[in-house]
Amino acid sequence: LLVMWHGLQAGLQPLKKSEEDRLRRVFDRIDKNADGVICVSDLRETMKGFDYEPIKGELEDMVWEVDESMDKTVSYLEFNLMYRRIRQIDATGIEPRKLFVVCDYMMNDKNGDGVVAMDEAVQLMFMRHGKSFSQDEIKSLFRNADGSGKITFADYFEYTERQYEAIAKKREDEKAKAIKGRPKGRVSKVDD
């Protein structure tokens, strides 16, 4: 088991203490029954706090995507691994990220009221995307905001899904372009 964890963490850097502390607080907020792991019922309660109604199987998928030990729960080690994989090495958007989006949102919901203020979200986006994050993206993120300057989890989740779909489309387009640009094989004629 120890060898497995070592291999899964290859190439990942430890988090700074402040980020590690925030990540741990989010894990503890999701772990509603305080048993040291996140299960589907913990996620269901968390989503209720966001007034978010997940589709059938969505919460089970969130756990399954991160559950390296296959015990139908997410330990803090698995949660931390998921977070670091996505933040440090997944520029392509391939890593499963539904639970990460929950985590990311909660890390920016500073007061735990289930909404993220615009200034917090903008700060988050600049941290994630640097100067490439545009005013149009801010408007897109807050297009459903109710005028309070806050965004709900459902809006944030929808926004991130659009972002990752765009990344996937770009990846597929680049792949198709690379295939199209390859020289085609030639069939040589055999003289009779």
Side-chain angles (χ1 to χ4, degrees):
L1 190 62
L2 193 56
V3 172
M4 177 186 81
W5 284 112
H6 182 69
L8 291 171
Q9 296 186 62
L12 298 175
Q13 299 300 314
L15 299 174
K16 293 179 183 172
K17 181 166 179 11
S18 61
E19 190 172 16
E20 177 84 36
D21 291 346
R22 286 181 25 234
L23 185 64
R24 185 63 200 208
R25 281 193 299 272
V26 167
F27 180 87
D28 291 343
R29 282 175 52 201
I30 298 171
D31 180 15
K32 299 295 187 191
N33 61 4
D35 63 354
V37 293
I38 295 171
C39 61
V40 171
S41 63
D42 293 327
L43 284 171
R44 188 168 287 110
E45 286 300 311
T46 299
M47 295 301 153
K48 281 182 187 174
F50 293 151
D51 292 326
Y52 178 78
E53 184 64 39
I55 61 173
K56 184 176 181 169
E58 186 173 13
L59 302 178
E60 290 81 0
D61 285 349
M62 284 184 190
V63 170
W64 178 80
E65 290 175 343
V66 179
D67 181 17
E68 298 291 345
S69 61
M70 296 182 286
D71 62 357
K72 297 186 180 177
T73 64
V74 177
S75 69
Y76 180 71
L77 189 58
E78 291 165 325
F79 192 74
N80 182 295
L81 179 64
M82 170 228 28
Y83 181 81
R84 290 186 298 140
R85 276 181 174 165
I86 292 172
R87 294 275 289 133
Q88 296 177 15
I89 63 173
D90 187 36
T92 61
I94 292 175
E95 281 289 326
R97 54 184 67 239
K98 287 186 178 189
L99 185 57
F100 173 80
V101 171
V102 174
C103 170
D104 203 33
Y105 183 81
M106 291 179 74
M107 286 183 82
N108 291 284
D109 177 12
K110 305 266 191 250
N111 62 2
D113 66 353
V115 293
V116 172
M118 184 185 290
D119 60 333
E120 295 168 336
V122 170
Q123 179 183 7
L124 165 71
M125 293 303 157
F126 277 113
M127 285 175 22
R128 298 285 188 268
H129 305 291
K131 293 181 181 179
S132 66
F133 187 71
S134 70
Q135 290 295 328
D136 288 341
E137 289 173 296
I138 294 168
K139 287 177 187 172
S140 176
L141 177 58
F142 283 90
R143 71 181 183 188
N144 295 331
D146 60 6
S148 66
K150 295 186 176 188
I151 185 170
T152 65
F153 176 75
D155 292 334
Y156 185 75
F157 192 73
E158 177 188 318
Y159 171 79
T160 57
E161 288 293 305
R162 287 193 317 266
Q163 293 297 102
Y164 296 125
E165 286 171 9
I167 290 169
K169 183 177 180 344
K170 182 179 177 184
R171 189 175 56 244
E172 289 300 315
D173 290 349
E174 288 171 356
K175 187 176 174 182
K177 187 177 178 181
I179 291 171
K180 188 176 181 181
R182 289 185 191 159
K184 294 187 167 117
R186 295 189 180 131
V187 177
S188 58
K189 292 184 178 181
V190 177
D191 294 328
D192 293 319

